[in-house]
Amino acid sequence: MHPDAIEEFFNLFSSPIHISRGDSIISLEDASTHLYFLADGIVAEIGRNTNGQVLIPNAYSKGSFIFNYHWFANRTPSITTYKSLTKATYFRLNQHDLFRLLETAEFEEIFFVIQQIILNQTRSHFIRLLHLKPKEYFEWMLKNQPWIISNFSRNHLAAYMGVSRATLFRILEKHKSSRYI
């Protein structure tokens, strides 16, 4: 990877953009293709299943890259909202600059690495959902991602863990001495 390509990539990002809790980076039905870098704060990808239940397939914290999966995967607008759960600061790479960079060989490698980081995060979350019991997943989050537990509402935390609110409240009751609850 050529150092000039990396420098060009980072120089194309915007100045810091500050948003409040509850603001969206990517909205429902958004067809934008910007690339975002979260410098501070917490953002959750929030959607609904066909029964109207809240789903949270991804959570992002400081140092995460975010982009509209739906547009890049199948050229359709976003079916989820990427909402800030705290005050947040991010940088945005304009979609026109991103597409221009995607046409260069030097940037292909950079974007491939970014995609792998994002996909690994998503894959890891779903592997834990599949292979850990809810109590075990909660304990894993207490140790490895306490920012999720301390910043998600109880509804969002239950949706992220793929459990009912009743199950989450039983787990919380057993861990109420934790400083994150």
Side-chain angles (χ1 to χ4, degrees):
M1 196 174 323
H2 197 275
D4 290 342
I6 295 171
E7 184 176 346
E8 178 185 6
F9 170 66
F10 283 108
N11 285 338
L12 288 172
F13 276 85
S14 69
S15 298
I17 299 168
H18 305 283
I19 59 174
S20 299
R21 180 176 191 237
D23 290 348
S24 295
I25 292 178
I26 300 171
S27 300
L28 184 67
E29 301 294 328
D30 188 348
S32 73
T33 54
H34 303 302
L35 176 65
Y36 304 90
F37 179 76
L38 189 59
D40 193 30
I42 296 170
V43 171
E45 180 184 2
I46 304 171
R48 295 196 177 271
N49 67 13
T50 55
N51 296 329
Q53 296 170 308
V54 174
L55 299 174
I56 301 184
N58 287 302
Y60 305 92
S61 63
K62 179 180 182 177
S64 297
F65 284 98
I66 302 170
F67 68 90
N68 185 344
Y69 288 117
H70 308 97
W71 182 257
F72 279 97
N74 56 23
R75 301 293 189 247
T76 59
S78 181
I79 59 172
T80 56
T81 299
Y82 294 71
K83 184 177 178 180
S84 179
L85 301 181
T86 64
K87 288 182 181 178
T89 301
Y90 66 90
F91 297 88
R92 180 181 63 220
L93 178 60
N94 179 290
Q95 60 193 9
H96 303 293
D97 290 330
L98 178 60
F99 283 126
R100 184 179 56 75
L101 287 173
L102 284 171
E103 294 174 1
T104 66
E106 295 86 11
F107 185 70
E108 282 182 15
E109 187 176 350
I110 295 170
F111 195 62
F112 177 77
V113 170
I114 291 169
Q115 287 175 319
Q116 293 306 307
I117 290 168
I118 293 170
L119 292 173
N120 184 54
Q121 175 184 342
T122 302
R123 181 179 175 271
S124 297
H125 170 59
F126 285 107
I127 287 173
R128 286 188 290 276
L129 281 176
L130 289 170
H131 297 288
L132 295 177
K133 293 177 182 172
K135 180 179 178 270
E136 294 169 336
Y137 191 17
F138 183 84
E139 290 168 353
W140 182 91
M141 283 192 293
L142 272 175
K143 183 178 178 183
N144 298 286
Q145 295 177 326
W147 54 270
I148 290 177
I149 294 168
S150 60
N151 289 287
F152 274 39
S153 70
R154 297 304 179 234
N155 287 340
H156 287 155
L157 185 56
Y160 185 72
M161 293 177 62
V163 299
S164 68
R165 284 177 43 100
T167 298
L168 175 63
F169 280 99
R170 282 192 294 275
I171 293 169
L172 290 173
E173 184 62 31
K174 293 177 184 173
H175 291 88
K176 65 182 172 183
S177 63
S178 171
R179 68 180 181 169
Y180 299 106
I181 299 173

